[in-house]
Amino acid sequence: MSKYDSLKQILDEASQIVVFTGAGISVPSGIPDFRSANGIYNQKTKFSASPEEIISHTFFYNHTKEFYEFYKDKMVYEDAEPNYAHKFIASLERKGKNVIVVTQNIDGLHQKAGSSKVYELHGSIHRNYCDKCHRSFGLKYVMTHNPIPYCDRCHGIVKPDVVLYEESLDEMVIERAISAIMTSDVLLVIGTSLTVYPAAGFIRYFRGRYIVLINKSPTSFDNMADLAFNEDVVEVFKQIK
C-alpha cells in the first residue's frame, strides 16, 4: 500500500480529525510564507527595522503609519482564494467527518473554503477593532483608510485582531485547540515547520491514533509521525481524492 493509500484509509476511518495548519497551506493561494527564501521575513523593507520588529506590539504603537504600510503591503492579500488543500479539508466535513481546523494563519481561507470549526491561534485580518471603544471594523475599512485607520466614532486607532510579537495568544482559543487535539483520533499537520511556540508544542497533547505531517521541508517532528510527506500539500491531496 502506498503512502497516499494509507493516508486515504486513515482519513476514511477517522471520526474526529484535527487539521493543524501553518503558512505553507496558503502558499498555493499566492500568500508567501514566513521563513522560506521568498518568505516575508526574508523580504527587504525600506525601514531600518526587520519584518519581525515591524509586526510587534511596540512598533505598532510607536510607528503606526509604518506598521500599516508594511502590513497592508506584505500581510494582507485581499484577492487570495482558497486552494485545493483548503477545499479538500472542507470536503471532509461535508462527508460527515468531525473536522476541526487549528490554524496559525490569519488569512481566513479555511472559512472561505467552507470549514465551519476553525480556531485561529494568531487572529485574523478580517477582524479589527478600535483600541479605545472596541468597536469592530471589517478588512475593507482598514484597507481604505490611509495611512492609519481611525475609528469614525471616537478616533481611536483601529488595530487588527492579529497576534503581534510581544502579545499573548488568546487563552480561550488555546484551550479549545488543545481540547480538540486531545480528543481527536487523527492529527493532520500541514504547511508548518513547527518552530513557532507555543503553537508548535500543541501537537504534544495528541493522544489519538495517527499523526500525519505534510510539509515541503522536513521538520524535527517527522520522526513522531505515522506518515510524513515532504511534498506540496495540493499534490498530496490530489493523489487521494
Side-chain angles (χ1 to χ4, degrees), residues 123-180:
S124 172
I125 61 171
H126 298 285
R127 296 189 302 271
N128 305 273
Y129 62 93
C130 172
D131 69 349
K132 285 187 179 179
C133 72
H134 306 293
R135 187 179 178 202
S136 296
F137 295 88
L139 179 60
K140 187 174 182 180
Y141 187 92
V142 168
M143 298 302 288
T144 55
H145 286 71
N146 295 309
I148 299 170
Y150 290 102
C151 176
D152 56 5
R153 179 177 295 169
C154 75
H155 305 294
I157 297 172
V158 176
K159 184 179 183 295
D161 187 14
V162 169
V163 179
L164 304 177
Y165 281 105
E166 305 166 348
E167 296 179 345
S168 300
L169 303 186
D170 184 289
E171 287 293 334
M172 186 175 293
V173 175
I174 291 174
E175 288 177 14
R176 290 174 176 171
I178 290 175
S179 176

Side-chain angles (χ1 to χ4, degrees), residues 7-8 10-19 84-101 113-115 186 188 190 237 240-241:
L7 176 56
K8 186 176 190 311
I10 287 171
L11 295 178
D12 285 345
E13 295 176 355
S15 55
Q16 179 167 301
I17 303 167
V18 167
V19 186
Y84 188 92
H86 295 106
K87 294 174 183 177
F88 179 88
I89 293 165
S91 75
L92 294 175
E93 189 176 332
R94 290 195 300 273
K95 292 176 181 176
K97 303 293 182 183
N98 183 13
V99 180
I100 301 169
V101 177
S115 291
V186 173
L188 185 54
I190 301 172
F237 283 159
I240 62 170
K241 60 184 179 180

